[in-house]
Amino acid sequence: QSEVNMGDVGWMAIPAGLFAMNNVLVFIAIGANDTAVFGVMRDTMILWTAAIWFLAFRLSLGPRRLIAMSVLVSGLLLNQFFQYTSGHFGWSVLWIFAMTLCNASGSVSNEYALKRNKGLDINVQNMILYTMCALWCVVLLAATEPAMLTSPSIFFDG
């Protein structure tokens, strides 16, 4: 077993920041879209994850995965085509794409960070990840709603 070093913390800060941002984007995407559209279009996460995983690890996806992804893309395009023809298409679907891209980037960067130091216990790695995610949320809150951090009663109000 190896010890934690600043490199481990730094690498875990990347997926933690992406997951924290994903949590914000989930609220925006749900609020800006019909739940049926959200439910279908969030499956683009599979496409983003495959593409980023391919780029990060330089491994082939294989024909079976590529065929499955082609079927998924066809279904997503049909969904948006019918949304468009019925007059319900909106550019707010881009919030869903941003959310799924952020989540997929967090997942792949997390896997990369976990594999970077195989001697470090996975429980320690997860503690670092969750601590960093909480810290990113506090930083985001301090940047956008600093008054929320002035007292516990304001923070927990509502």
Side-chain angles (χ1 to χ4, degrees):
Q1 294 230 2
S2 66
E3 296 293 318
V4 176
N5 61 50
M6 289 308 290
D8 296 323
V9 174
W11 276 100
M12 281 301 187
I14 296 168
L18 290 165
F19 288 141
M21 183 55 69
N22 175 70
N23 290 338
V24 172
L25 290 171
V26 167
F27 285 110
I28 294 170
I30 288 174
N33 289 280
D34 179 75
T35 54
V37 172
F38 179 84
V40 171
M41 298 310 286
R42 73 184 167 130
D43 287 340
T44 58
M45 192 177 322
I46 296 167
L47 303 173
W48 291 122
T49 302
I52 297 167
W53 191 82
F54 170 77
L55 293 172
F57 296 107
R58 303 278 191 238
L59 296 172
S60 172
L61 297 173
R64 193 178 313 188
R65 286 188 185 106
L66 291 174
I67 290 169
M69 288 170 44
S70 298
V71 170
L72 178 64
V73 168
S74 299
L76 293 171
L77 289 174
L78 280 173
N79 174 275
Q80 285 305 292
F81 174 75
F82 291 124
Q83 290 289 325
Y84 178 74
T85 58
S86 67
H88 293 98
F89 176 81
W91 289 105
S92 58
V93 74
L94 295 177
W95 284 113
I96 301 172
F97 293 152
M99 176 204 72
T100 57
L101 174 61
C102 196
N103 188 289
S105 299
S107 297
V108 174
S109 64
N110 185 46
E111 184 175 351
Y112 188 85
L114 287 170
K115 291 180 177 179
R116 185 181 161 279
N117 186 352
K118 295 176 185 170
L120 189 58
D121 185 277
I122 192 165
N123 295 314
V124 172
Q125 289 176 320
N126 282 330
M127 287 188 317
I128 295 168
L129 175 68
Y130 299 137
T131 301
M132 292 301 297
C133 192
L135 288 174
W136 277 116
C137 289
V138 169
V139 167
L140 182 62
L141 192 58
T144 59
E145 301 273 344
M148 296 290 287
L149 299 174
T150 58
S151 76
S153 62
I154 293 174
F155 182 80
F156 291 109
D157 183 43

